[in-house]
Amino acid sequence: MDAAGYFAAHVLATRYEDLSEETISAAGRLILDSIGVGLAGSSGQWAAELSGAASGWGQGAQCRVFGREGRFPPGLAAFHNAYCIHNSEFDCLHEDAVVHALTAILPAALAVAEQQGGVSGRTLVEAVVAGVDIAAAIGLAGTAPMKFFRPAVVGGLGAVAAAGKVAGLDRDQLINAFGAQYAQSGGSMQAHEEGTMLLALQIGFNARAAVEAVDLARAGLAATKDTFEGRFGYFKLFEDAVDLAPVLDDLRKQRRIEEVVEKPFPTGRATHGAIEAVMRLQVRRAADPEMLHGIVVTVSPVAHSLVGRPAQIGMPANYARLCLSYCVARCLLEGNVGVDHFTPEALADTAALILAERIEVQTFDMAEPSAFGPSRVTLEYADGTTETETIGQALGHPSNPVSTAQRLAKFGANCRAAALPLSADEAAALSGRISDIETLGDVRDLMDLACPRAD
């Protein structure tokens, strides 16, 4: 089996005119979502420090960065934009593959499109769809829990597919680009374990590597060919268990972008089911959290390993976004969970921390490896009665989608939150251009709207 060849052929065969309305619609929604999240991320945790640290890494080229003035080399732009999209844990993902689907893919495609010029909106859609297909396929083939940070490593391989599509690479060049990317791939779960901003940086590193891998392949680099299945290839070194054949077969049958989840909350996805359960319980029977005698949250064992960490005084925002008890406490206190709950002032709020300590987090007795399985919340009230709510697929999943109003409200809020905020008119123009992306003649026009103060 030749996975690299399968993937390259799939990228080349992806054509806008062959895509269904559902696939094109999903791509448009997720491009909108990702650009909005990236704009908000430009003012997020460690974004300013990163800009300072990277100030000597290159300037004065063709590409724009969300929320920043000036222009940058393509690889550096992809690095910054991928970081901005992920640094608030607000970006879309493919749950079963455990891949933040557009986070590396879109910035790499945008950077190469700006570098080349004249790249149409249709080509951008083709690139994003193909990139998500490849990233999801690689993630789905891994059947054991992650030990490397799959959104970074696999996202980078998907970014090669997308950037290579924009660049017009042929089959052999794409295979070489996958090899060049693999040589640069990296990202461990230790950053997730400790809740540091290195987690988002890892995605940025791989997005930058993807742009550079495409440049190397285009210049004629002969890289590894058996990148995925070789004795020291991806599936041998990065995954503990693999079932590749059905994934390759499904490449021809299913556009994975249609399965991607939009996040309604800026937190780890494994917290979303419990947050939604709390919101439903409070609608059904509102209660002052101080009067609750018991709060029990039950999630899958994998979810517990990812977000079952204790709330801590002085915890950084990225740690808190991955702390189930803190997120549930915030929802009980405020009725929702939003970006304002992860500021230094909010994280110092003793009421939220005290309530988080009262929350008992349990696990279902299940062998299912998914981190996004059912979530159950049980509240015991002052009169001794209890109410329970169980969420199967959390809000944002295609089977439990956010509404158009919720999507546009998120986008508008994110545009306003950028380091260089967009006005309501500017945000509306950007949203309208994305909704009509099939008529876009040059992706640089889209970035003009997303980054109007770059020049």
Side-chain angles (χ1 to χ4, degrees), residues 63-379:
C63 302
R64 270 71 66 89
V65 169
F66 298 136
R68 289 189 64 189
E69 297 178 340
R71 292 185 180 242
F72 303 84
L76 187 56
F79 167 78
H80 277 293
N81 287 336
Y83 175 80
C84 287
I85 291 174
H86 189 63
N87 68 1
S88 298
E89 283 285 348
F90 216 0
D91 47 332
C92 61
L93 77 156
H94 191 288
E95 288 187 344
D96 292 338
V98 197
V99 173
H100 289 259
L102 271 69
T103 308
I105 287 167
L106 181 61
L110 289 172
V112 175
E114 285 207 272
Q115 179 188 36
Q116 290 191 181
V119 175
S120 71
R122 288 188 170 210
T123 299
L124 180 64
V125 170
E126 290 174 350
V128 168
V129 169
V132 172
D133 279 348
I134 300 309
I138 298 168
L140 289 167
T143 57
M146 292 186 299
K147 56 182 179 181
F148 291 92
F149 186 48
R150 200 176 284 162
V153 177
V154 174
L157 291 163
V160 163
K165 182 70 172 178
V166 171
L169 299 190
D170 62 26
R171 181 181 183 278
D172 289 342
Q173 289 172 322
L174 278 167
I175 291 171
N176 283 325
F178 284 130
Q181 174 71 19
Y182 180 59
Q184 305 175 81
S185 295
S188 80
M189 287 295 288
Q190 192 61 37
H192 189 287
E193 187 86 358
E194 298 183 24
T196 79
M197 294 315 298
L198 188 61
L199 198 68
L201 282 172
Q202 290 178 160
I203 298 181
F205 296 148
N206 283 270
R208 177 177 61 190
V211 173
E212 294 167 354
V214 167
D215 283 343
L216 291 169
R218 190 161 35 183
L221 172 72
T224 55
K225 302 299 187 288
D226 204 1
T227 297
F228 296 96
E229 301 154 284
R231 188 157 70 98
F232 302 105
Y234 171 84
F235 288 120
K236 292 290 195 300
L237 297 187
F238 282 79
E239 299 287 355
D240 287 335
V242 176
D243 189 9
L244 181 59
V247 167
L248 294 182
D249 186 55
D250 282 346
L251 271 177
R252 299 186 295 270
K253 303 174 183 176
Q254 178 63 42
R255 292 295 183 181
R256 297 297 180 182
I257 200 164
E258 296 178 27
E259 302 167 347
V260 171
V261 166
E262 295 175 75
K263 281 187 173 182
F265 313 114
T267 66
R269 179 62 177 174
T271 70
H272 281 211
I275 294 170
E276 183 181 357
V278 168
M279 293 174 71
R280 291 188 182 188
L281 285 168
Q282 291 288 63
V283 168
R284 195 158 74 224
R285 183 177 176 184
D288 181 346
E290 296 299 320
M291 301 302 294
L292 293 172
H293 287 190
I295 307 163
V296 179
V297 180
T298 308
V299 294
S300 75
V302 177
H304 188 275
S305 72
L306 295 174
V307 297
R309 62 192 64 191
Q312 298 176 350
I313 296 173
M315 59 185 172
N318 206 52
Y319 180 101
R321 296 180 197 279
L322 301 170
C323 177
L324 180 62
S325 60
Y326 177 78
C327 293
V328 169
R330 272 295 171 200
C331 191
L332 284 166
L333 289 168
E334 312 288 347
N336 205 332
V337 181
V339 293
D340 292 345
H341 296 141
F342 299 95
T343 63
E345 296 75 19
L347 293 170
D349 179 9
T350 56
L353 295 172
I354 292 170
L355 182 58
E357 288 182 354
R358 294 175 50 206
I359 296 169
E360 181 181 355
V361 180
Q362 300 179 349
T363 60
F364 291 107
D365 182 12
M366 58 189 296
E368 170 62 44
S370 174
F372 311 111
S375 299
R376 183 175 67 207
V377 175
T378 300
L379 303 181

Side-chain angles (χ1 to χ4, degrees), residues 394-430:
L395 183 64
H397 189 275
S399 66
N400 183 18
V402 298
S403 67
T404 299
Q406 289 172 316
R407 180 179 302 114
L408 292 178
K410 174 183 174 180
F411 180 74
N414 283 335
C415 289
R416 292 191 297 274
L420 298 173
L422 268 63
S423 69
D425 288 344
E426 289 170 330
L430 176 56

